[in-house]
Amino acid sequence: MNPIMARIVAELKKRRIRDKELCSYIGISQSTFATWKVKDRDPKAVYLPKIAKYLGVSLEYLLCGTDEEE
């Protein structure tokens, strides 16, 4: 799994949020999210700010792994 998706998945697990809930919030199908995880793909840039907001982390954290959670 690529680093961005690894951070997203870790934050989901930490907050006990199901993939389905995130997908609904950002407006994608669960199969799209599964493809990001399984096929080692990064989410499109348009989704990253929404994902960061939903998870309560900074965009910089998602992209680089630096910066503390907001």
Side-chain angles (χ1 to χ4, degrees), residues 1-9 12 22-23 26 28 32-52 55 59 62-63:
M1 188 179 310
N2 70 56
I4 294 172
M5 281 306 297
R7 285 188 280 278
I8 292 169
V9 169
L12 288 171
L22 175 65
C23 293
I26 63 173
I28 62 167
T32 297
F33 189 80
T35 298
W36 294 346
K37 287 192 329 189
V38 174
K39 295 197 176 183
D40 203 29
R41 304 254 169 91
D42 288 327
K44 290 184 179 183
V46 69
Y47 298 118
L48 292 174
K50 288 181 178 182
I51 294 170
L55 295 175
L59 188 55
L62 282 186
L63 294 173

Side-chain angles (χ1 to χ4, degrees), residues 10-32:
E11 291 298 321
L12 288 171
K13 185 175 182 179
K14 179 176 156 183
R15 289 167 169 69
R16 296 183 177 154
I17 300 170
R18 297 182 325 183
D19 296 354
K20 179 181 177 179
E21 295 169 19
L22 175 65
C23 293
S24 178
Y25 179 79
I26 63 173
I28 62 167
S29 68
Q30 287 180 269
S31 64
T32 297

